[in-house]
Amino acid sequence: MKRRLHTEFLGRSIVYTQSTSSTNDDAKAAGLARPDGTVFMSEVQTGGKGRIGRRWSSPFGGIYMSIVLKPFLSPSLAAPDLPAPNLPALSIVAGYCVATAIRDTTGLDARIKWPNDVLVEGRKVSGILCEAVLPPDAPPLVIVGIGVNANVDVENLPEEVRGAASSLRALLGRRIDRATLVSAILDRLEPAYQEFLSRGLSPLVRRIEDVAAFIGDAVIMRNVTSSSSDSTQGIFRGIDERGRALLEVPGGEVVAVSAGDLTLRRI
Ligand code: BTN
């Protein structure tokens, strides 16, 4: 795989296993001792984690990888008074790179569904889970966990997600070369991450919106973190420079939402 990479540091160190509980947990436990950009990968995960405490089903054929990033070692973030990178915004950057890598290597119309799911034909094929590690005596690390239903047999996904999820293999009708897709993701993520560290999300917003799902559509934003059934309806207008979703609500006001689950409103 390294032969296909064009990166300077992402994926130059790889920790590969056949099976693990979660590559994000492996990266959190061992990432500090590894170089910036190390990728932890596994063929399967027995305890794959999704966002907001969900599980990420991880059968054979998928891509399960977690990238260790050390933003405080980067020359562009070396000043100690700079704030830590905005994790939700970074995960949007990662989702954008996965979507464009899928588009460029398979020709499928992959779209990023805010904040960081990747959909093809309305079905989820990839998800991102970014986590921070705060070691007591070293600068924080960021773990970017990426799961892609690449060559997964959809029958091996849990029944409850089968309708909403799919795999690249099912959508294309053939297997894909996973090493090519992993290299394409890392090749796109390295420059996007560097740009994000030095200039924030602003220079990337336009490109992200170009491959975003539901722009201009009537949507419902559900507040998934609260126990109430809080939700906002509106027209999805895009994302702002902090990575928030912009919703035009009835009356015309545009509100910025920082967390939630976006779905199309059936009308
Ligand atoms: C989501 O859509 O909820 C996020 C899914 C993230 C899954 C990836 S697979 C590699 C890494 N290890 C994990 O346990 N989770 C992430």
Side-chain angles (χ1 to χ4, degrees):
M1 201 204 84
K2 281 191 195 164
R3 279 180 291 121
R4 293 172 220 223
L5 272 179
H6 300 96
T7 58
E8 250 171 57
F9 70 102
L10 279 198
R12 291 291 153 195
S13 151
I14 294 178
V15 180
Y16 171 83
T17 47
Q18 281 291 326
S19 173
T20 189
S21 172
S22 155
T23 55
N24 262 35
D25 288 346
D26 295 347
K28 280 159 76 176
L32 186 59
R34 294 276 171 175
D36 192 12
T38 296
V39 176
F40 287 75
M41 304 187 82
S42 186
E43 291 293 339
V44 290
Q45 296 183 120
T46 52
K49 301 186 302 180
R51 287 197 313 128
I52 35 182
R54 295 178 183 148
R55 277 180 53 82
W56 181 259
S57 166
S58 312
F60 269 109
I63 293 169
Y64 311 109
M65 65 176 178
S66 300
I67 305 159
V68 177
L69 296 173
K70 303 188 172 182
F72 292 92
L73 298 183
S74 156
S76 50
L77 247 192
D81 54 343
L82 278 175
N86 169 345
L87 271 199
L90 176 59
S91 61
I92 292 176
V93 174
Y96 160 73
C97 294
V98 173
T100 51
I102 292 173
R103 296 172 83 85
D104 296 345
T105 58
T106 66
L108 289 169
D109 182 24
R111 305 223 147 237
I112 168 158
K113 190 193 93 166
W114 186 89
N116 47 30
D117 290 350
V118 179
L119 308 182
V120 175
E121 294 175 18
R123 292 176 156 199
K124 179 160 171 173
V125 294
S126 171
I128 319 283
L129 177 65
C130 282
E131 298 186 89
V133 186
L134 306 169
D137 42 16
L141 311 181
V142 173
I143 310 299
V144 179
I146 300 175
V148 185
N149 297 337
N151 292 328
V152 164
D153 183 344
V154 177
E155 296 289 298
N156 291 333
L157 293 174
E159 214 176 318
E160 63 274 15
V161 305
R162 259 182 240 161
S166 190
S167 73
L168 301 179
R169 173 180 156 190
L171 290 155
L172 276 171
R174 63 171 167 84
R175 301 177 73 80
I176 63 139
D177 186 70
R178 289 181 306 158
T180 301
L181 181 57
V182 169
S183 312
I185 293 170
L186 298 175
D187 280 350
R188 282 157 188 72
L189 186 57
E190 184 172 287
Y193 166 68
Q194 283 169 327
E195 184 151 38
F196 172 71
L197 278 190
S198 52
R199 298 173 59 208
L201 202 60
S202 312
L204 298 160
V205 164
R206 219 18 191 306
R207 282 183 268 160
I208 295 170
E209 286 179 342
D210 280 346
V211 293
F214 306 159
I215 300 245
D217 290 335
V219 294
I220 302 176
M221 179 74 77
R222 288 198 175 78
N223 184 349
V224 279
T225 45
S226 82
S227 47
S228 70
S229 54
D230 234 11
S231 69
T232 313
Q233 299 197 356
I235 309 289
F236 182 48
R237 291 295 178 205
I239 61 168
D240 71 6
E241 72 295 336
R242 285 164 60 185
R244 297 176 302 182
L246 297 172
L247 281 198
E248 183 184 328
V249 294
E253 191 195 347
V254 175
V255 297
V257 183
S258 40
D261 237 358
L262 193 66
T263 49
L264 266 187
R265 185 153 65 93
R266 309 268 168 219
I267 36 181

